Amino acid sequence: MSSGPTGQPSLVRTGAKAGLAFAGSAIKGGLLGLILGGGVFFFYLGQLKGPGNTAARAGGAGAILALVTSPPLLVAVLLLLFVVVYAMLGVQRGRTKAMQHLVAARGEAVSERLAGAIAGRIEAMPRTHGTLQRAADWLSVDALSKQLAPVLGEGKAVRSVVGFVLNRLPMSDMLAEWQEGRAAHGAPVAAEGAAQDPALRALLTRRINETLQEMSTPSRKPLYIALGAHAVLLGVGLWLVN
């Protein structure tokens, strides 16, 4: 995986594929919202009966009063909101699919380079009491993104990956695991300015790679939850109007 200028076209192609994946999922979410969300909403509207619904359709203060005092109409408003819910789920899945392309193409480089950058900052920390437990204070998205820019570029995608990894990495637990491993092999924790520690880099690389795989794995669970809630709400609405 090239780290020089020749790697830039690969980043461009990967970015294009990620953009297409995002757009495709977002469009599917929008269509699902319009077809399923809108279809269920208009179907439910057709089931509404009674004089109160006529007042609601008239507009103005009477419509607001009718809405507040009519549970079936409140259900109609909630059903309409599912148009937005499905669209948002499409955008969320699109982001995950886009990240899947980025991780597949550059995940190894990101894991190694980011692990090296984080390890270098940890090794440079002053070894005062309790400092290792505050390692996250020495790390920032800006600094790490700039450090990785020569290899991975300066796009928003790289910055978002760095930010996600930093937010999800259990730094305290990882540092405790690293220190326990060194103690088990009879090696003291490295002093400030010490040479690079391969064990620390291997630990960080493994955990970062696991985090990247997690963030780039699409899940249908939110969609299933939305479909279930949508069906339950429609059932309640039909029960109210019949």
Side-chain angles (χ1 to χ4, degrees), residues 12-13 19-20 38 92 106 118 120 122 126 136 141-142 157-158 167 174 176 181 188 192 200 202 206 221 224 239:
V12 172
R13 288 194 298 270
L20 289 175
Q92 180 185 16
R106 310 293 292 183
I118 294 175
I122 292 175
V141 176
D142 289 335
V158 174
N167 289 332
M174 291 175 58
E192 181 182 356
L200 176 60
R206 175 173 58 83
K221 184 177 180 180
Y224 294 150
W239 176 76

Side-chain angles (χ1 to χ4, degrees), residues 102-121:
L102 294 175
V103 171
R106 310 293 292 183
E108 183 180 350
V110 171
S111 298
E112 294 178 355
R113 297 289 178 169
L114 186 54
I118 294 175
R121 290 177 176 271

Side-chain angles (χ1 to χ4, degrees), residues 45-196:
L45 282 185
Q47 307 302 312
L48 294 178
K49 304 173 184 177
N53 301 324
T54 302
R57 296 189 183 98
I64 297 177
L65 180 62
L67 177 64
V68 173
T69 58
S70 175
L73 290 176
L74 287 175
V75 171
V77 173
L78 294 177
L79 287 174
L80 183 60
L81 291 179
F82 272 88
V83 175
V84 179
V85 170
Y86 288 125
M88 292 177 62
L89 288 176
V91 171
Q92 180 185 16
R93 184 171 178 81
R95 289 174 178 170
T96 304
K97 294 288 288 184
M99 195 58 62
Q100 188 176 43
H101 283 278
L102 294 175
V103 171
R106 310 293 292 183
E108 183 180 350
V110 171
S111 298
E112 294 178 355
R113 297 289 178 169
L114 186 54
I118 294 175
R121 290 177 176 271
I122 292 175
E123 291 163 348
M125 289 167 52
R127 291 302 187 260
T128 55
H129 178 70
T131 301
L132 284 177
Q133 280 65 46
R134 299 193 301 272
D137 298 338
W138 285 71
L139 306 173
S140 70
V141 176
D142 289 335
L144 290 172
S145 297
K146 290 179 180 178
Q147 190 169 347
L148 295 172
V151 178
L152 304 178
E154 300 180 353
K156 292 182 179 180
V158 174
R159 183 180 176 85
S160 66
V161 169
V162 173
F164 183 91
V165 170
L166 288 181
N167 289 332
R168 297 297 295 270
L169 279 181
M171 293 302 302
S172 297
D173 295 341
M174 291 175 58
L175 290 173
E177 180 180 344
W178 170 52
Q179 290 176 281
E180 290 175 1
R182 291 183 61 86
H185 291 83
V189 177
E192 181 182 356
Q196 295 183 357

